[in-house]
Amino acid sequence: IPSQSHYFPKMSNKVVETVVIKVGTSSLLNDDDQISLGSFARIVEVVIELKKLGKRVVLVTSGAVGIGRTKLGMTERPSTRAAKQAVAAMGQTSLMRIYEDLFKILDQHVAQVLVTRTDLMRKHQFEAVQKLFEEVFALDMIPIVNENDTLALQEHNFGDNDTLSALVANLVLANWLVLATDVDCLYSADPRSNPDAYPIHLVENMKTLRVNTSGGSSQWERVVWPPRLLPLISPLLLGSEPCC
């Protein structure tokens, strides 16, 4: 990721605080794996409340594949890359329609931003995405971000939207990165499958953090927290400028 000291002349003053919120698929579906409009509505209300407090808000959302599968009546994840891309293409339209309808009730415009890892790894594309966010904020819109699953190649995808949200937080110099989840706090391992898992309520040193994130809370999403991500998230948690 390019260093923000060279590419963020507009964002470096940080006059307005920016909050990035990541929402996983399991937070958007109910126990029957059906779309939970109540969950969507609560997320929208939180975003609007933060905006009323003067914050710039970026919503990073999963759900395209999960919602696509639900609407198609599928019970298993697509077995091929092409099948997943097709399901994501169908689900993304429904995902954005739900968000747009709910935000419209509250007189708030939204903008869909689909990105791939390549968009954030090459200088000219990185700068283009940065300028896009500036224009979206200037037009008083809420950017809703997701990985472009329909175009991303296996070797160029983010792997999960936790990673994507951290990279977006770095991109916009966010003051806060919030990962919405169905787990009440950070654990040393998955408490539903590991009886020895213990809660971690405060992380004081990211360099010494050791967390087993293998597996996931739902069949609908992948959960990956690779060690290479810690240097990126650490400055965000500590309140300093993110860098890499």
Side-chain angles (χ1 to χ4, degrees), residues 5-27:
S5 61
H6 297 92
Y7 301 153
F8 296 103
K10 294 181 180 179
M11 293 183 176
S12 58
N13 293 331
K14 299 179 75 170
V15 176
V16 178
E17 285 194 344
T18 303
V19 181
V20 174
I21 301 175
K22 179 265 178 181
V23 180
T25 303
S26 62
S27 298

Side-chain angles (χ1 to χ4, degrees), residues 118-132:
T118 304
D119 295 327
L120 303 184
M121 297 304 292
R122 296 177 179 174
K123 179 181 177 181
H124 68 284
Q125 290 173 281
F126 185 85
E127 291 175 328
V129 177
Q130 183 257 322
K131 291 177 182 178
L132 167 63

Side-chain angles (χ1 to χ4, degrees), residues 7-52:
Y7 301 153
F8 296 103
K10 294 181 180 179
M11 293 183 176
S12 58
N13 293 331
K14 299 179 75 170
V15 176
V16 178
E17 285 194 344
T18 303
V19 181
V20 174
I21 301 175
K22 179 265 178 181
V23 180
T25 303
S26 62
S27 298
L28 301 175
L29 302 179
N30 58 32
D31 293 338
D32 297 323
D33 291 330
Q34 299 300 309
I35 297 171
S36 174
L37 291 179
S39 296
F40 275 94
R42 286 191 292 272
I43 293 165
V44 169
E45 289 173 354
V46 168
V47 171
I48 293 299
E49 287 302 315
L50 287 171
K51 192 169 181 297
K52 288 180 178 178

Side-chain angles (χ1 to χ4, degrees), residues 65-229:
V65 176
I67 290 177
R69 288 170 56 189
T70 296
K71 293 182 75 68
L72 291 171
M74 301 171 65
T75 58
E76 302 291 336
R77 289 187 66 87
S79 57
T80 67
R81 165 64 52 172
K84 179 192 172 186
Q85 291 173 323
V87 173
M90 188 269 193
Q92 186 65 32
T93 60
S94 297
L95 180 68
M96 279 305 300
R97 186 181 303 114
I98 294 171
Y99 278 123
E100 184 174 31
D101 288 346
L102 291 173
F103 275 109
K104 184 177 181 180
I105 294 173
L106 299 174
D107 296 320
Q108 175 63 57
H109 292 296
V110 297
Q112 177 179 248
V113 181
L114 298 177
V115 297
T116 65
R117 181 180 288 273
T118 304
D119 295 327
L120 303 184
M121 297 304 292
R122 296 177 179 174
K123 179 181 177 181
H124 68 284
Q125 290 173 281
F126 185 85
E127 291 175 328
V129 177
Q130 183 257 322
K131 291 177 182 178
L132 167 63
F133 275 99
E134 278 295 326
E135 290 301 322
V136 169
F137 288 135
L139 292 172
D140 197 32
M141 296 186 290
I142 299 292
I144 299 179
V145 185
N146 199 357
E147 180 173 7
N148 192 343
D149 287 317
T150 62
L151 295 179
L153 300 176
Q154 181 67 41
E155 62 271 22
H156 293 154
N157 65 6
F158 293 101
D160 66 278
N161 274 359
D162 288 348
T163 303
L164 172 59
S165 65
L167 297 178
V168 169
N170 181 69
L171 178 78
V172 300
L173 290 186
N175 303 85
W176 299 94
L177 170 58
V178 180
L179 304 181
T181 175
D182 55 359
V183 180
D184 58 354
C185 69
L186 177 64
Y187 281 86
S188 60
D190 189 341
R192 286 157 295 207
S193 59
N194 188 338
D196 297 324
Y198 57 88
I200 303 174
H201 296 290
L202 176 64
V203 177
E204 296 182 346
N205 188 343
M206 291 291 289
K207 293 182 180 179
T208 61
L209 179 64
R210 295 293 181 270
V211 176
N212 177 14
T213 57
S214 60
S217 62
S218 165
Q219 63 165 322
W220 299 103
E221 56 188 337
R222 299 155 293 173
V223 180
V224 183
W225 198 279
R228 66 179 180 275
L229 191 58

